[in-house]
Amino acid sequence: MYKRIDGKEVSSYIKNQVKIEVEKLAEQGVEVSLAVIIVGNNPASRVYVNNKKKACEATGIISHEYALSEETSEAELLNLINKLNSDEKINGILCQLPLPEHIDEKKVIEAISPMKDVDCFHAVNVGKLWLGEYEFAACTPMGVMLLLDYYGIDVEGKNCVIIGRSNIVGKPMASLLLEKSATVTVCHSRTQNLSFFTKNADIVIAAVGKAKFVTADMIKEGAVVIDVGINRDENGKLCGDVDFENVKEKASYITPVPGGCGPMTIAVLMKNTLAAAKNQNNI
Ligand code: NAP
């Protein structure tokens, strides 16, 4: 019998913890704030930004939205980031990706002060993550770690297989699992005989971006299955990278989509913004 990992429950718990700390800081006269930049009219980005604003409201974090037009130049965006970097009232800066094609995402990521880079995309923070000396970690992978921890799933010595090697999910996921002494394998599109790896895994983390890509025959009996994917199925319904209905019969624990990793990403963003504010105020 599998157990469904409830990301809504865990994210509410994390956000509540953040709220308590934000209130304590407010009593000391310290406000916590996040600047959210959105460029253009991407509807998915708008949904994400709105959800982040809602989470700020729920935790007492002050959010400042900078909604810029599609035509905004790279120089204008970099100029805004520079201003926010030196604004003492702003603790975290998030620039919603993807950006319009004429803007170099890499330049934008590197322009954000590492101290305010609450997404943990800056090279300095990526390096600190791999050194285990980080103030905050990439939101989605850290969300997965918090889910595992909440359900008492110990990763030490476990055979963990990550499918996907992106900078925002797969690679930082590997770093966090390794830090907790898991044995980590990272698979990707060039991996030969993917099932060989997944079938031997105690914990499978799917971050592929392909609907129902992980099927029951790829999973060993009793495995923990974490689904990071957010896709649409053939009927336009939201689904993950895992064929949930069939895989759940073999899994010991499994995350649903929606309601699994998604809410955790935003909860960790709040946690990171709080950590940035504490750092900047030497608390
Ligand atoms: P991405 O940058 O497109 O990376 C996908 C990875 O999957 C790549 O490393 C790719 O390998 C690998 N891959 C593709 N086809 C494969 C195959 N046939 N076999 C094995 N590996 C394969 O995607 P991402 O940004 O990491 O996101 C992954 C998924 O997570 C997406 O559905 C995204 O929407 C979702 N996501 C969710 C959250 C959340 O909050 N829950 C946050 C971020 C992303 P190569 O490197 O070789 O191309």
Side-chain angles (χ1 to χ4, degrees), residues 37-42 46 65-77 80 95-96 98-103:
I37 306 170
I38 176 167
V39 186
N41 311 309
N42 182 325
R46 175 39 69 193
E65 183 181 309
Y66 297 85
L68 309 180
S69 78
E70 186 83 28
E71 290 73 40
T72 302
S73 70
E74 186 180 280
E76 283 169 324
L77 178 56
L80 170 63
C95 188
Q96 186 65 46
L99 290 167
E101 269 181 19
H102 64 276
I103 299 178

Side-chain angles (χ1 to χ4, degrees), residues 54-127:
K54 271 190 214 156
C56 282
E57 279 164 27
T59 50
I61 293 175
I62 299 162
S63 71
H64 301 271
E65 183 181 309
Y66 297 85
L68 309 180
S69 78
E70 186 83 28
E71 290 73 40
T72 302
S73 70
E74 186 180 280
E76 283 169 324
L77 178 56
L78 294 175
N79 195 28
L80 170 63
I81 290 172
N82 277 337
K83 277 193 193 142
L84 296 171
N85 279 341
S86 48
D87 185 340
E88 281 183 10
K89 289 202 182 102
I90 299 290
N91 303 118
I93 304 171
L94 178 154
C95 188
Q96 186 65 46
L97 302 179
L99 290 167
E101 269 181 19
H102 64 276
I103 299 178
D104 183 345
E105 279 186 4
K106 200 168 179 295
K107 266 195 197 166
V108 170
I109 288 169
E110 295 303 313
I112 295 173
S113 159
M115 290 185 76
K116 299 189 177 185
D117 167 43
V118 284
D119 263 333
C120 194
F121 291 166
H122 194 287
V124 166
N125 289 329
V126 173

Side-chain angles (χ1 to χ4, degrees), residues 75-220:
E76 283 169 324
L77 178 56
L78 294 175
N79 195 28
L80 170 63
I81 290 172
N82 277 337
K83 277 193 193 142
L84 296 171
N85 279 341
S86 48
D87 185 340
E88 281 183 10
K89 289 202 182 102
I90 299 290
N91 303 118
I93 304 171
L94 178 154
C95 188
Q96 186 65 46
L97 302 179
L99 290 167
E101 269 181 19
H102 64 276
I103 299 178
D104 183 345
E105 279 186 4
K106 200 168 179 295
K107 266 195 197 166
V108 170
I109 288 169
E110 295 303 313
I112 295 173
S113 159
M115 290 185 76
K116 299 189 177 185
D117 167 43
V118 284
D119 263 333
C120 194
F121 291 166
H122 194 287
V124 166
N125 289 329
V126 173
K128 281 182 163 185
L129 184 64
W130 281 95
L131 291 170
E133 294 167 5
Y134 54 93
E135 285 91 30
F136 28 76
C139 298
T140 303
M142 182 48 100
V144 171
M145 297 306 288
L146 294 173
L147 281 179
L148 294 171
D149 188 52
Y150 188 90
Y151 282 86
I153 301 165
D154 188 7
V155 302
E156 186 177 321
K158 298 277 171 60
N159 197 359
C160 297
V161 170
I162 303 163
I163 318 174
R165 58 172 164 178
S166 69
N167 289 337
I168 63 165
V169 188
K171 287 180 193 165
M173 191 73 250
S175 169
L176 290 171
L177 286 167
L178 201 55
E179 194 197 359
K180 295 284 177 200
S181 302
T183 302
V184 183
T185 305
V186 182
C187 299
H188 45 78
S189 68
R190 313 284 169 85
T191 299
Q192 292 181 13
N193 198 357
L194 178 64
S195 286
F196 166 80
F197 297 99
T198 56
K199 271 184 191 163
N200 280 304
D202 303 307
I203 301 174
V204 174
I205 296 168
V208 191
K210 291 189 173 161
K212 302 180 188 176
F213 177 82
V214 177
T215 48
D217 59 313
M218 294 168 73
I219 298 296
K220 87 171 173 188

Side-chain angles (χ1 to χ4, degrees), residues 203-247:
I203 301 174
V204 174
I205 296 168
V208 191
K210 291 189 173 161
K212 302 180 188 176
F213 177 82
V214 177
T215 48
D217 59 313
M218 294 168 73
I219 298 296
K220 87 171 173 188
E221 204 69 49
V224 174
V225 181
I226 305 290
D227 190 351
V228 174
I230 304 175
N231 314 294
R232 298 268 168 197
D233 69 8
E234 58 282 5
N235 304 314
K237 205 174 148 219
L238 214 56
C239 74
D241 289 344
V242 174
D243 177 9
F244 183 88
E245 284 310 316
N246 294 308
V247 171

